[in-house]
Amino acid sequence: MSIQRALKIHNQDKWTWLYIAFIILFVSFLFGLTIAVFIPGDDKIMITGFSYIFVYMFVMGVTGFSQTFAYAMGMSVRRTDYWMSMAIMGLRSSLLFTIIFVFLALIENWTNGWGNQLIFFHFPYLNDGNIFKQFIVYFMGFANFFFLGLLISIFAKRYTLKGLLILGLAFLFSITLAVLLITYFEVWMDLFQWFVQHTAFQLSIWFIPLTLFYMTASFLIIRKTAV
């Protein structure tokens, strides 16, 4: 099956899909731990370790497509199968990083910040719920960022830089209009209170329709994307 050939292409690039992310995470954690060791005091030191992987998943969605699409088409892989292979890789990576973060968050909590008051994996608010809720929060976050990057990359390939520029301008216009309306009707405080009243788990549920939209849109666009 062509989907297996596509997966083989991705699996050969373990540096991009795994090793680089682990190196980034390890170096950033080591940096944070060093700061915690050499800075005296009882105050907790907070470094958002999850943000590095969120950004990396977005980058993987963008570069994973741009680096392998033409090659996969040359290997006679169907566009549908290629998209499926990208989706599998993205979901698999999201699952792997989620397991790692939840597991290390438990250890960090048990060891009181690795014995140095460091907050790197067990982040306030995001890790307030039970293990299942923490799992959903991180998994949906990683998956959302990956498929957003994939959609942008496929959209840019299909509609070129001009189409991407138009999309970007339309997005900025929508954001600007939303800010003006919120300011005009003075609902900033209501919006802030709405976020405060919801847990990270409850907010992460909103990622589900967004992620499904990114997946559906990227799937429909790639079917008509030229090499």
Side-chain angles (χ1 to χ4, degrees), residues 75-116:
M75 294 285 291
S76 299
V77 176
R78 296 189 309 168
R79 284 166 172 77
T80 300
D81 292 335
Y82 174 80
W83 182 91
M84 287 293 297
S85 71
M86 285 293 296
I88 291 173
M89 294 299 295
L91 293 173
R92 188 172 70 179
S93 296
S94 298
L95 177 61
L96 175 62
F97 292 131
T98 296
I99 293 174
I100 291 174
F101 263 79
V102 172
F103 176 71
L104 293 178
L106 291 174
I107 296 178
E108 182 173 287
N109 188 43
W110 291 337
T111 58
N112 193 27
W114 309 98
N116 292 283

Side-chain angles (χ1 to χ4, degrees), residues 152-169:
I152 291 175
S153 184
I154 293 176
F155 187 92
K157 180 69 174 178
R158 174 67 175 85
Y159 298 102
T160 68
L161 182 60
K162 181 179 179 180
L164 187 61
L165 179 61
I166 294 174
L167 178 64
L169 291 175

Side-chain angles (χ1 to χ4, degrees), residues 136 140 143-144 147-148 151 201-217:
I136 297 299
M140 290 311 306
N144 185 267
F147 284 104
L148 174 59
L151 174 59
F201 170 74
Q202 291 172 328
L203 293 178
S204 69
I205 300 300
W206 288 90
F207 277 147
I208 296 178
L210 276 177
T211 304
L212 290 176
F213 170 76
Y214 299 150
M215 294 175 70
T216 303

Side-chain angles (χ1 to χ4, degrees), residues 17-54:
W17 285 99
L18 291 177
Y19 300 153
I20 294 178
F22 288 147
I23 291 173
I24 293 174
L25 190 61
F26 175 77
V27 171
S28 59
F29 172 70
L30 187 62
F31 173 75
L33 190 60
T34 302
I35 293 177
V37 170
F38 285 98
I39 295 180
D42 297 329
D43 294 335
K44 292 183 179 293
I45 298 176
M46 186 179 301
I47 299 178
T48 57
F50 65 89
S51 62
Y52 299 103
I53 305 302
F54 279 166

Side-chain angles (χ1 to χ4, degrees), residues 105 121-131 133-134 137-138 196 198-201:
F121 296 103
H122 194 272
F123 205 72
Y125 186 67
L126 293 181
N127 294 88
D128 288 345
N130 55 38
I131 294 179
K133 291 182 178 179
Q134 293 178 40
V137 168
Y138 283 107
V196 171
H198 290 77
T199 65
F201 170 74

Side-chain angles (χ1 to χ4, degrees), residues 191-202:
L191 186 62
F192 175 76
Q193 291 178 350
W194 184 86
F195 277 99
V196 171
Q197 292 171 356
H198 290 77
T199 65
F201 170 74
Q202 291 172 328

